[in-house]
Amino acid sequence: MSIICGLPLLECVYCLACARWAWKRCLHTAGHDSETWGLATAEEFEPVPRLCRYILAVYEEDLWHPLWEPPGGYGINPDWLIRRKTYEDTQGRAPSYILYLDHDHADIVLAIRGLNLAKESDYQVLLDNKLGKKKFDGGYVHNGLLKAAGWVLDAECEILKELVEKYPNYTLTFAGHSLGSGVAAMLALVVVQHQDKLGNIDRRRIRCYAIAPARCMSLNLAVRYADVINSVVLQDDFLPRTATPLEDIFKSLFCLPCLLCLRCMRDTCIPEEKMLKDPRRLYAPGRLYHIVERKPFRLGRFPPVVRTAVPVDGRFEHIVLSCNATSDHAIVWIEREAQRAMDVSSKLLYFHVNAGER
């Protein structure tokens, strides 16, 4: 056909499809994802920077002599550290994590690190999934992340039950970043479903904070567990927006142009409404918090604003073409911007209180 017409017809169609896809992505900015959401209060967002620091502490070999602590430290008392599990301890079945008894905030925290690029076992966890492979509580979840969460719960079930019963007024918090966020979210699901394993713990005591979350559960589960699970996304972070299954991304690392070609052709040829109606499609879990601190076509960072909602539509469905898409995924940057957001909220609250007194 192309030869008969004298034109490279297939190539032209492909180029037009790519141009349409790129144009739509260039017009879409991260601020559009949450522009209709409400603002988060300082009280509800308060745990986020603290839990980010706890997750960062997982990377330290010795908390008595930390090497990488952020300004102000981790906020951890090493005497209250209950357990620290390395990859050698988990045998690659789950990422490294710590169990910390936070007396200052009446909280039992299990914090899980993010993806270790040097560990093949982490990739195996991500690759252990296919669309619609694992059903859970009337929905679908990521199979590999659920397995990792099950291993962690089996390993720590006894000590968690003991702590929950010993401190009945403490909350139980699962926190994780990137790969760890998916494991933490799955842990929250499993514990809520099997509360008897932890002494019939009240659902209201269970919390999860998924930092830079992986898309790990179907929409019905993401909404139903929004009272337990909270996802935190910094501006342009690519992972929560990556609807392409995680296993396909990592299989295509050495052929990223092929992945992008297939993605733009799919987005061009398949209506978005049809893709969103697929009940097997995975999403970022729970209530969403979006930290926005850059504006389109403007340089520099602005005072961060945190927006929140439990949306049914528009749960970060489009990748943002941004040079910050990967840096916004880093736990270090998320901790900094979350703390800045808290500082801004505290100052505004102080200003309003003083203005009211006058």
Side-chain angles (χ1 to χ4, degrees):
M1 173 69 81
S2 298
I3 297 175
I4 294 174
C5 297
L7 291 171
L9 190 59
L10 293 177
E11 291 83 351
C12 288
V13 171
Y14 173 73
C15 289
L16 287 172
C18 289
R20 176 182 177 274
W21 181 82
W23 177 249
K24 288 176 66 178
R25 292 298 178 267
C26 287
L27 288 179
H28 183 81
T29 62
H32 292 153
D33 290 324
S34 58
E35 59 187 353
T36 61
W37 299 3
L39 295 178
T41 64
E43 182 181 3
E44 64 179 312
F45 195 71
E46 178 274 330
V48 173
R50 171 167 52 86
L51 292 171
C52 286
R53 290 189 284 272
Y54 292 175
I55 296 169
L56 281 169
V58 182
Y59 293 79
E60 294 282 3
E61 292 186 2
D62 183 3
L63 285 174
W64 287 105
H65 304 93
L67 299 176
W68 319 107
E69 61 181 345
Y74 294 114
I76 281 183
N77 183 341
D79 288 329
W80 297 344
L81 188 66
I82 305 298
R83 292 219 176 142
R84 180 179 181 274
K85 291 289 183 74
T86 65
Y87 280 97
E88 288 70 27
D89 298 318
T90 66
Q91 299 179 339
R93 296 181 181 179
S96 301
Y97 62 89
I98 61 172
L99 180 58
Y100 179 63
L101 187 56
D102 187 357
H103 291 295
D104 290 336
H105 299 92
D107 201 5
I108 303 163
V109 182
L110 197 153
I112 310 169
R113 65 159 289 161
L115 176 72
N116 188 334
L117 295 174
K119 291 292 183 181
E120 183 181 344
S121 59
D122 278 5
Y123 294 102
Q124 290 175 346
V125 171
L126 285 174
L127 298 178
D128 184 13
N129 192 59
K130 288 183 180 179
L131 190 65
K133 180 177 182 178
K134 186 63 178 179
K135 286 187 176 183
F136 185 92
D137 191 23
Y140 295 88
V141 296
H142 188 286
N143 186 61
L145 295 175
L146 183 64
K147 281 185 179 179
W151 188 93
V152 173
L153 185 59
D154 288 341
E156 308 301 339
C157 186
E158 292 301 319
I159 186 65
L160 286 174
K161 182 179 179 181
E162 179 184 327
L163 292 172
V164 165
E165 291 177 343
K166 185 176 180 180
Y167 302 97
N169 296 322
Y170 282 30
T171 51
L172 174 61
T173 300
F174 301 107
H177 168 249
S178 189
L179 172 67
S181 72
V183 178
M186 295 297 104
L187 270 168
L189 290 189
V190 175
V191 170
V192 169
Q193 280 292 301
H194 302 281
Q195 292 164 272
D196 56 304
K197 282 192 172 184
L198 299 184
N200 291 314
I201 182 173
D202 191 326
R203 178 178 176 133
R204 289 172 294 182
R205 292 177 62 190
I206 305 168
R207 302 187 303 174
C208 171
Y209 286 86
I211 312 298
R215 297 170 74 104
C216 58
M217 63 181 67
S218 55
L219 182 60
N220 60 334
L221 296 180
V223 174
R224 195 189 314 159
Y225 286 87
D227 61 319
V228 175
I229 303 174
N230 305 278
S231 290
V232 180
V233 179
L234 175 59
Q235 190 84 13
D236 300 335
D237 187 358
F238 76 96
L239 189 61
R241 296 179 168 85
T242 307
T244 304
L246 294 174
E247 61 274 13
D248 291 345
I249 294 173
F250 286 94
K251 285 176 184 175
S252 305
L253 278 179
F254 298 103
C255 191
L256 193 56
C258 300
L259 177 66
L260 292 176
C261 290
L262 292 173
R263 179 70 188 271
C264 75
M265 291 300 291
R266 187 198 67 174
D267 286 0
T268 300
C269 301
I270 302 176
E272 185 172 314
E273 294 77 12
K274 184 176 180 180
M275 290 190 290
L276 295 179
K277 286 180 180 178
D278 189 344
R280 302 168 300 168
R281 185 181 173 92
L282 303 183
Y283 294 82
R287 171 173 285 277
L288 302 178
Y289 291 90
H290 191 201
I291 306 173
V292 180
E293 36 85 52
R294 290 187 301 273
K295 298 181 181 180
F297 310 115
R298 297 189 187 182
L299 298 176
R301 296 175 181 267
F302 292 80
V305 173
V306 182
R307 302 168 182 163
T308 183
V310 186
V312 175
D313 299 320
R315 296 180 72 90
F316 299 111
E317 295 306 319
H318 301 290
I319 292 178
V320 177
L321 293 182
S322 165
C323 57
N324 302 106
T326 53
S327 62
D328 283 352
H329 186 67
I331 184 67
V332 174
W333 276 110
I334 298 172
E335 187 274 330
R336 290 179 186 174
E337 296 306 318
Q339 187 57 57
R340 283 185 64 210
M342 277 299 302
D343 294 341
V344 169
S345 297
S346 299
K347 289 178 182 178
L348 288 175
L349 180 62
Y350 177 79
F351 174 79
H352 287 308
V353 169
N354 285 346
E357 291 178 352
R358 292 176 187 173

